[in-house]
Amino acid sequence: MLKLVAFSKKRTIDLQSELDDESNRKKSSNMLFAIAAANDIFEQLKTHDFLKNTLIDVIFCTGEGELSQTFEFYKNLANGERTRPLVFQNSLHNSTLGALSLAVSHIASGTTLSNGDISFEMALDSALASTSSNPILIIGTDVYSEKTLEIKKQNTYHEQVDLVSGSCAGLFIPTSSPFYDQFIAPAISDIQIKNSKTTHTDFFPSYYPSNGLELIHEALKTSSSFSFNRPQNYQIQISAHVE
């Protein structure tokens, strides 16, 4: 089982100053969102000394990856403009995880996972299957440029979904961790991901793949077992123990 002991969400309005800061020009928006969410988690748990000296595992999940950076690179290439090496570097699938490894010094292992609208759910499934006793930090981030937002709305979502840029993060403590009993928190025991063939979707008014964590975080406040629907006809079923 995995206890969810801290949760964070970030929206563009929360990071506007960082996004506009010229000193951050070498970082993609994905990186800034992910680092901000991670820092928020550690700030929430700053009174727990174990995080200062304990290695953690990180799973970074994203539905779109660095698609906006890739688009920018190929746009410049097609227009005969300068193709900056930094843009290419930031377009790589694990570039955000690399930035996190520089910002979070005590990472034991890191994984990047991407599976569209259920990227967070797949990350949680991976964490539940892990045999590691380290706390697991799952961070999900998706940032849409104006062009990618236009393409996604036209070609991917048949239902009306309000896509926004955002990040969600959760710190999970596995049963095998010596810190498990230090926290009174809901513990997730299982996740099942099914194709439901339904067109109904549960989502917050502002949607992006990793706000599946936001749905789970809200539901865990009152329920031990629940299900909800995601875009592309996916149904998620969660089993948990709520103390």
Side-chain angles (χ1 to χ4, degrees), residues 52 89 95 124 166 186 204 206 230 233:
K52 297 177 182 178
Q89 172 186 305
S95 59
L124 180 56
F204 286 96
S206 298
R230 299 294 273 163
N233 300 337

Side-chain angles (χ1 to χ4, degrees), residues 3 15 195 230:
K3 279 188 177 180
L15 269 78
N195 196 299
R230 299 294 273 163

Side-chain angles (χ1 to χ4, degrees), residues 4-11 14-15 32-45 120 137-141 166-172 208 210-215 217-218:
L4 177 57
V5 300
F7 167 78
S8 174
K9 65 176 180 180
K10 296 293 180 183
R11 301 293 186 267
D14 301 317
L15 269 78
L32 293 173
F33 269 93
I35 292 170
N39 287 338
D40 189 26
I41 291 288
F42 297 134
E43 178 65 23
Q44 292 176 39
L45 297 173
F120 169 76
L137 177 63
I138 302 180
I139 301 178
T141 300
S167 184
C168 280
L171 187 73
F172 297 84
Y208 55 100
S210 64
N211 79 339
L213 173 56
E214 192 171 358
L215 280 166
H217 177 252
E218 290 297 317

Side-chain angles (χ1 to χ4, degrees), residues 89-146:
Q89 172 186 305
N90 286 351
S91 72
L92 302 180
H93 78 283
N94 59 350
S95 59
T96 302
L97 181 60
L100 278 168
S101 69
L102 296 175
V104 181
S105 60
H106 49 297
I107 294 179
S109 68
T111 303
T112 296
L113 192 153
S114 181
N115 194 3
D117 294 283
I118 55 170
S119 293
F120 169 76
E121 289 82 358
M122 293 299 295
L124 180 56
D125 187 49
S126 178
L128 283 165
S130 174
T131 58
S132 173
S133 61
N134 294 329
I136 302 173
L137 177 63
I138 302 180
I139 301 178
T141 300
D142 277 292
V143 178
Y144 301 95
S145 67
E146 184 176 340

Side-chain angles (χ1 to χ4, degrees), residues 168-180:
C168 280
L171 187 73
F172 297 84
I173 308 293
T175 312
S176 57
S177 170
F179 311 110
Y180 185 82

